[in-house]
Amino acid sequence: MNHSLSHRAVLSFTGADRTSFLQGLVTNDAQSLTPATSVWSALLTPQGRWLSEFFLYDASDRILMDCAADHADMLVKRLSRFRLRADVQIEKTDLRVITGAVGSPAPSAPVATAPDPRCDGAGWRAIVTASEEGGEMPEEFLERRLTLGLPDVMDFESEQTLALEADMDLLHGVSWKKGCYMGQELTARTHYRGLVKRRLLPVVLSDGTFTDEGGVIIAGEREVGDIRSRSGNRALAMLRRDAWSSPELTCNGQPLSVVWPAWFPPEMR
């Protein structure tokens, strides 16, 4: 059975300038790609706000982009504007994205596959043709992602969220060594001045489950965050830094606590 993630789509970048073209636009180092690795990255507005996140793969004669299905047309259109004289062609494909936990069987004939580069234990991702079988169920992927604290498209707010608020700095989504890209100035300033006032963190309810939509986090009398993706009693929440260690966080009246992921540096908590 094919358990592809229906909320993801795949774009193809061909042409001699495909790597340098992406390198000048995205937050991570496209030139570091190898056939055995993938790179997690984002496209930001010139003001450093998030437009889309994606995984890039080197598939020999092309770079493949595993992106949000809802963003595919927007990305083709927006990125095409920057082509100018560059030798690069951008197309939507009918390829699909599947995922699996560490140690689970990988697909037999993937178009591209690599470990999820964000943290240890994140498993693998693969780009496959429609006929390829395998991969975990989307619900299993969601559970695993929430347990690890890994964001997906629904955890960001378009033209609002900063890359660092979504932990892209801690999850290998931003390169500090490469040259300019769109939104780089604000991203670097935020990083070097430590100005991140809120971050996406995994949270758990001690009792009950999250509602299907909405969900405001309260500390005492004040609103300190909101719930993004969720399943059962686990969720990702955008939470204000000054509330991280509050002993009295609640959501819909239920006690809630932050579950610190292994990748989150202790000195930053």
Side-chain angles (χ1 to χ4, degrees):
M1 277 176 69
N2 185 316
H3 297 149
S4 60
L5 300 181
S6 60
H7 72 290
R8 306 294 291 187
V10 180
L11 303 183
S12 157
F13 295 76
T14 50
D17 299 333
R18 61 188 182 274
T19 305
S20 56
F21 170 76
L22 284 165
Q23 185 73 347
L25 293 170
V26 305
T27 58
N28 214 335
D29 187 355
Q31 289 172 346
S32 69
L33 268 181
T34 72
T37 60
S38 71
V39 163
W40 189 47
S41 191
L43 181 69
L44 307 178
T45 66
Q47 295 77 33
R49 310 272 169 185
W50 177 87
L51 284 169
S52 195
E53 53 74 44
F54 35 77
F55 295 83
L56 300 174
Y57 297 80
D58 173 5
S60 63
D61 58 344
R62 54 185 174 163
I63 290 176
L64 295 175
M65 177 186 278
D66 152 5
C67 65
D70 290 351
H71 292 185
D73 292 330
M74 175 273 284
L75 284 167
V76 170
K77 199 164 152 189
R78 216 174 253 261
L79 292 171
S80 295
R81 279 189 213 149
F82 296 103
R83 266 199 338 226
L84 306 174
R85 294 196 186 84
D87 174 13
V88 60
Q89 296 78 47
I90 311 167
E91 293 172 336
K92 268 170 80 172
T93 71
D94 54 6
L95 297 170
R96 304 155 79 127
V97 176
I98 61 174
T99 55
V102 174
S104 66
S108 54
V111 178
T113 185
D116 185 323
R118 294 180 288 183
C119 70
D120 289 343
W124 51 265
R125 294 177 81 92
I127 293 178
V128 296
T129 56
S131 58
E132 178 72 63
E133 313 235 316
E136 64 195 329
M137 301 282 285
E139 305 77 50
E140 294 174 292
F141 172 69
L142 174 61
E143 285 291 335
R144 209 160 55 73
R145 182 170 81 67
L146 295 178
T147 305
L148 289 165
L150 300 177
D152 203 336
V153 58
M154 58 292 284
D155 300 309
F156 296 80
E157 288 177 296
S158 185
E159 301 193 34
Q160 297 288 324
T161 306
L162 302 176
L164 276 59
E165 291 177 339
D167 306 315
M168 292 196 75
D169 52 337
L170 305 180
L171 291 168
H172 310 118
V174 179
S175 165
W176 304 113
K177 297 191 178 74
K178 64 175 268 185
C180 287
Y181 57 86
M182 208 149 65
Q184 184 231 351
E185 201 177 318
L186 180 109
T187 305
R189 200 164 64 229
T190 310
H191 172 64
Y192 292 115
R193 292 193 187 163
L195 299 172
V196 191
K197 293 195 176 69
R198 55 180 201 158
R199 276 188 185 266
L200 208 52
L201 295 172
V203 294
V204 64
L205 287 177
S206 50
D207 199 21
T209 56
F210 287 102
T211 53
D212 288 345
E213 284 176 13
V216 171
I217 301 174
I218 307 287
E221 301 290 301
R222 13 179 237 130
E223 281 188 21
V224 292
D226 63 289
I227 301 299
R228 303 290 166 93
S229 48
R230 76 285 305 276
S231 173
N233 69 337
R234 289 186 182 278
L236 287 185
M238 189 62 83
L239 194 60
R240 287 176 57 99
R241 181 182 282 267
D242 56 18
W244 288 357
S245 52
S246 167
E248 49 179 34
L249 296 176
T250 61
C251 179
N252 294 331
Q254 302 291 336
L256 169 137
S257 51
V258 173
V259 187
W260 291 105
W263 49 261
F264 203 101
E267 66 276 10
M268 286 176 60
R269 296 176 188 178

